[in-house]
Amino acid sequence: MAARSGNGSSMTSVEKQRVMYPDFTAPSVDKVMVEERAGSLGKRSIKKEAKVAGLYLAISMMDLTTLEGKDSPGKVTQLCQKAMHPSASPGVPPCAAICVYPKLVPVAKRALAGSTVKVASVATSFPSGLSALEVKLEDVRRAVEWGADEIDMVIDRGAFLAGEHTRVFDEIAATKEACGQAHLKVILETGELHTYDNVRRASRIAMLAGADFIKTSTGKVVPAATPPVTLVMLEAIRDFYIETGKLIGMKPAGGIRTAKQVLHYLVLVKETLGDAWLTPDLFRIGASTLLNDVLMQLEKERTGAYQSGDYFSKD
């Protein structure tokens, strides 16, 4: 039966969309203001005690990632060991998760058994996201069946930029359903969205469609995570919480390589969302090379001297 409008006539396609879909409208972003604020928050002076506490916290929020064509069970197992035991120094926590391709999920699951470290997997035809929806959903179901606790999906940026927002929404919602109990992180690939307004709108669409986290980047596109883009997404999360009461997590990924940078991101979170988001349940950092620099800084604070880079494992 055809849908009927309020006056009894058949509904147009536009009217149906208004009824079926939530409002994707997002406020316009002031480019100058967001870049100035992100820059100013990066200049905050942090006392030694707060710096050390922040670096320990950052380790507990890291998703150690290996997403290369030459990935092997041995490499993944080694990375899992590092995630569980980043350092022999006392007090260093385990990382939050290991992120791998679906085929290597069973390897990571076995290696991490009995630990608190989660297994995340990129699915939905990472990193392009350009396969047919059924192919992407099967990718997700298989990763979950093999033991993935978290799924990192990429949106179809071409569809988004073409204005097909309902299609992007539908794909995210279908992926969320395919995840079952696994958490869903939605990667916007902000480096391909061109404007802050697009980042803000894509963030809202992802959250409305059921994302547990929104994530900046695949790490395969430049620019990846930047402080201004992260601030735009954090503000979208803040406004979504005010509107719905739902707490959505945030994950900047790609290009975060130093302890100084990661402390900047923690300041952005604290000043925008508050202490409630300073937990691995609501904030993650995707970084393949960051961990060693954080460990070097912690050793410097503990011993007064820098350790050689060779002191830490490369994977």
Side-chain angles (χ1 to χ4, degrees):
M1 179 182 294
R4 295 276 174 183
S5 64
N7 60 13
S9 60
S10 296
M11 296 175 66
T12 66
S13 59
V14 173
E15 288 173 331
K16 288 179 183 177
Q17 179 173 316
R18 286 172 180 163
V19 172
M20 295 173 61
Y21 290 97
D23 182 7
F24 297 148
T25 305
S28 181
V29 178
D30 186 320
K31 180 177 184 293
V32 173
M33 290 293 291
V34 77
E35 291 180 352
E36 284 186 354
R37 178 165 173 73
S40 68
L41 291 175
K43 298 175 183 175
R44 290 283 178 85
S45 176
I46 302 175
K47 294 181 180 179
K48 177 178 179 178
E49 294 78 9
K51 176 182 176 182
V52 171
L55 293 179
Y56 280 126
L57 181 61
I59 292 174
S60 74
M61 295 169 161
M62 289 184 193
D63 288 359
L64 295 192
T65 301
T66 183
L67 296 171
E68 299 178 1
K70 62 182 180 182
D71 285 347
S72 65
K75 182 177 182 181
V76 169
T77 300
Q78 186 176 354
L79 199 62
C80 289
Q81 290 299 318
K82 187 165 185 175
M84 290 187 289
H85 309 290
S87 169
S89 297
V92 177
C95 297
I98 287 287
C99 186
V100 296
Y101 280 115
K103 184 180 179 181
L104 291 165
V105 166
V107 175
K109 199 67 178 177
R110 285 194 297 273
L112 296 170
S115 77
T116 60
V117 182
K118 305 293 187 185
V119 177
S121 184
V122 291
T124 64
S125 301
F126 180 92
S128 70
L130 290 179
S131 295
L133 178 58
E134 276 308 312
V135 173
K136 293 191 276 190
L137 295 181
E138 184 57 28
D139 204 20
V140 172
R141 293 188 192 101
R142 187 175 297 114
V144 173
E145 180 183 337
W146 286 342
D149 304 296
E150 302 170 354
I151 295 295
D152 288 28
M153 75 163 285
V154 286
I155 66 168
D156 183 337
R157 285 83 74 191
F160 177 87
L161 293 172
E164 299 176 30
H165 298 153
T166 56
R167 177 179 162 191
V168 175
F169 174 91
D170 286 342
E171 289 205 354
I172 296 171
T175 304
K176 173 66 175 174
E177 184 176 359
C179 281
Q181 296 301 311
H183 277 206
L184 175 62
K185 304 193 196 90
V186 177
I187 306 170
L188 307 182
E189 197 65 293
T190 54
E192 293 185 338
L193 297 186
H194 306 313
T195 69
Y196 293 131
D197 285 347
N198 281 341
V199 172
R200 181 73 189 234
R201 185 187 293 268
S203 299
R204 179 167 174 79
I205 292 171
M207 292 187 289
L208 287 167
D212 297 299
F213 267 75
I214 54 175
K215 176 178 171 181
T216 58
S217 322
T218 62
K220 307 294 186 184
V221 170
V222 177
T226 66
V229 158
T230 300
L231 180 57
V232 169
M233 295 171 70
L234 291 172
E235 290 179 343
I237 290 172
R238 177 198 61 201
D239 292 350
F240 190 74
Y241 172 70
I242 293 171
E243 177 183 344
T244 67
K246 296 180 180 177
L247 284 71
I248 306 298
M250 173 70 199
K251 180 179 174 181
I256 306 171
R257 300 179 182 278
T258 68
K260 183 178 180 180
Q261 285 178 300
V262 80
L263 290 172
H264 184 184
Y265 280 92
L266 293 181
V267 170
L268 286 173
V269 174
K270 181 177 176 62
E271 294 296 325
T272 309
L273 296 174
D275 291 343
W277 264 264
L278 290 176
T279 163
D281 291 335
L282 289 171
F283 189 71
R284 294 285 184 84
I285 306 153
S288 300
T289 58
L290 171 64
L291 177 56
N292 279 359
D293 191 63
V294 170
L295 292 174
M296 288 178 67
Q297 296 302 323
L298 285 172
E299 282 300 299
K300 166 66 166 49
E301 295 297 334
R302 190 175 71 88
T303 66
Y306 281 112
Q307 298 285 345
S308 164
D310 295 334
Y311 181 80
F312 305 99
S313 65
K314 302 300 181 186
D315 292 319

